[in-house]
Structures are given as C-alpha cells and as structure tokens.
Amino acid sequence: MRVMSIYNMKGGVGKTATAVNLSYLAAASGRRTLIWDLDPQGASSFYFRVKPKVKGGGKKIVRGKSDLDDLIKGTDFPNLDILPADFSYRELDLQFADSKQSRMKKLIAPLRHEYDLIVFDCPPSISELSQQIFRASDLLLVPLLPSTLSIRTLEQIQAFLKKERVTRLELRTFFSMVDRRKTIHREFVEEFAANSKQHLTAGIPYSSAVEKMGLERRPVVEFAPRSAPSAAYRALWDQVAAELW
C-alpha cells in the first residue's frame, strides 16, 4: 500500500480538485483506492456525493475508538472509496497533539491489505496534523500557482520538513491553474521547471471545466474526459504513478 498526500499550506491552489481527479484515475487504472478527506469543509466528500458525517467525530478516530472500516463509504465509481470529513475535523490538531508522532500511520496500517493507494486530501495549514500526515505518507504532492508567493510557500514547507527531520518522504510539485495565454505564467513555469529536480512537468490549466466540478459533483476527468484539464490530470497521474511504484 502506498500513501500520497495532496498538500499546501495555502488554500485555493487546487488541492481537492487534484485529490479527487487523481483518486478517480488511480481507481480507473485498477488500483484499489481510498481518499481520506481531512478538511473540515468536506469538499472531497461533497464532490463524491457522500454525506459529510463521521460517526463519533475526529476525536474517536484519533483515540482509536472508531474503526476506520466502519467509517469508510463507497463512491459511485469502482475501486474507489472515501473516508468523509465533517466539521469535527476542525479539532484534529488538538486531538493529535497528545498522541505519538506515528499515530496516523498506525491508524491506516490495518488497511494495507484492502487498498493499493490511500490519498490524503489535506487542509491548508501546517500543524500537528500536518506532521502526522507527512510521517504517514510516501509522497507529498504540492500544487503550486505560477507566482512568486507560491514558491515562497514551497520554501517554507521544505524548511519545515527539514526542521522536523521528515526524511523518508518524497516531495514533488506541479503547477495548477496555469493560464498559458499569459506570458508571465509561461515564463514562470518554464524557469521553475528548468531549475527544480522535484518538479513534475504535467501542469493543470486554468479552466471553467474544473470549476464545474461543484455543479456536477464528479471528477472532471469523468464528466468532461476530452477537456484540457482532463488530459492534464491524466498526464499528472502517469507521472505520479511512476513515482509511487
């Protein structure tokens, strides 16, 4: 079983859209996939039409008093399950603060025979929960916007990982919401890609099709398979899969 986290300290960079579409593509490729929605807003749960209600709340999960198997829900798609989020997840940081650093890793360990891939859809923060996620993951996938501030955020993430001595974690980046009609976007993407060994070349274009996921409540690669973002997500999945296996 491999574990991938879609993460950025900054909100609005396309984390959930990426988590939803890559999870769908992983499942479509035949890999048994679980997406764990860790954001109290429950956006992934909403996209997959799953009621954002966790029996017993996040506290019981962290304390080991809720069996994850009982909380996992099926989606409308083969090979793809979801562990939904609800507003109780806003307190996960507090609950993990009193637990061991490997608590999240231990929570998902019993699922290793049931799934080939677990995808964490992470909230936009850096906290105790973030540390738990980092230590439980094999790959940290960081969406970036083509902007200087986004790169600064990446540097802060890298500094945090170094400070906390999280060494057994591969970090990869990709660009999201790229408008190639803008010269500044094209130049920024090309320059960064040329100078980063951790960067995946597949980039997600800015598109209204991705925004329609909220109306369709489905992955864009499912309801608009011939669109530009769908092709980009498929290319990104191919690169991610090569990193994981």
Side-chain angles (χ1 to χ4, degrees):
M1 183 180 76
R2 305 292 280 168
V3 182
M4 174 174 65
S5 294
I6 317 297
Y7 172 80
N8 196 309
M9 292 163 52
K10 182 177 174 56
V13 297
K15 292 189 304 297
T16 294
T18 299
V20 166
N21 283 285
L22 293 191
S23 296
Y24 172 86
L25 288 169
S29 73
R31 300 189 187 277
R32 299 166 300 170
T33 304
L34 171 68
I35 178 171
W36 189 346
D37 187 353
L38 288 163
D39 194 326
Q41 298 179 70
S44 292
S45 306
F46 176 82
Y47 285 144
F48 284 118
R49 300 175 182 269
V50 174
K51 185 178 179 181
K53 181 64 176 176
V54 179
K55 186 178 180 180
K59 181 177 180 178
K60 286 193 174 182
I61 292 177
V62 175
R63 300 303 177 191
K65 296 180 179 180
S66 290
D67 191 330
L68 291 186
D69 275 334
D70 295 335
L71 302 175
I72 292 171
K73 307 293 183 183
T75 70
D76 294 333
F77 308 107
N79 294 324
L80 182 55
D81 293 336
I82 186 169
L83 207 168
D86 65 14
F87 202 54
S88 71
Y89 274 29
R90 72 192 185 280
E91 299 176 348
L92 280 184
D93 284 333
L94 296 176
Q95 303 305 327
F96 274 118
D98 297 327
S99 62
K100 296 180 180 180
Q101 289 184 334
S102 59
R103 184 62 187 154
M104 176 68 83
K105 190 172 184 178
K106 290 181 178 179
L107 284 173
I108 63 174
L111 303 176
R112 63 184 179 276
H113 299 302
E114 299 180 39
Y115 296 101
D116 302 304
L117 176 65
I118 292 181
V119 178
F120 290 141
D121 181 17
C122 305
S125 64
I126 191 156
S127 60
E128 183 63 38
L129 174 59
S130 304
Q131 292 189 57
Q132 291 278 343
I133 289 168
F134 298 156
R135 297 184 186 281
S137 301
D138 299 299
L139 177 66
L140 188 68
L141 188 60
V142 181
L144 302 174
L145 301 182
S147 71
T148 302
L149 286 179
S150 190
I151 303 307
R152 182 174 180 271
T153 300
L154 172 62
E155 292 171 349
Q156 291 174 325
I157 295 170
Q158 292 170 324
F160 181 82
L161 292 174
K162 184 177 181 180
K163 177 183 176 183
E164 297 299 323
R165 299 180 181 179
V166 183
T167 56
R168 300 182 64 182
L169 174 65
E170 294 294 330
L171 185 150
R172 296 293 182 268
T173 63
F174 71 97
F175 279 110
S176 180
M177 302 183 188
V178 178
D179 188 345
R180 300 199 66 85
R181 296 171 299 178
K182 297 181 178 180
T183 301
I184 190 172
H185 276 209
R186 295 196 305 272
E187 292 178 346
F188 199 99
V189 168
E190 291 167 5
E191 181 179 354
F192 183 84
N195 293 284
S196 175
K197 296 180 180 179
Q198 297 176 311
H199 190 66
L200 302 179
T201 56
I204 311 303
Y206 178 82
S207 173
S208 60
V210 177
E211 295 178 347
K212 288 181 181 177
M213 285 176 57
L215 296 174
E216 296 284 342
R217 298 184 70 178
R218 292 181 289 164
V220 67
V221 291
E222 199 274 335
F223 72 81
R226 297 183 180 180
S227 65
S230 292
Y233 279 123
R234 285 192 290 270
L236 180 62
W237 167 246
D238 288 343
Q239 293 181 2
V240 167
E243 295 285 339
L244 287 169
W245 289 281

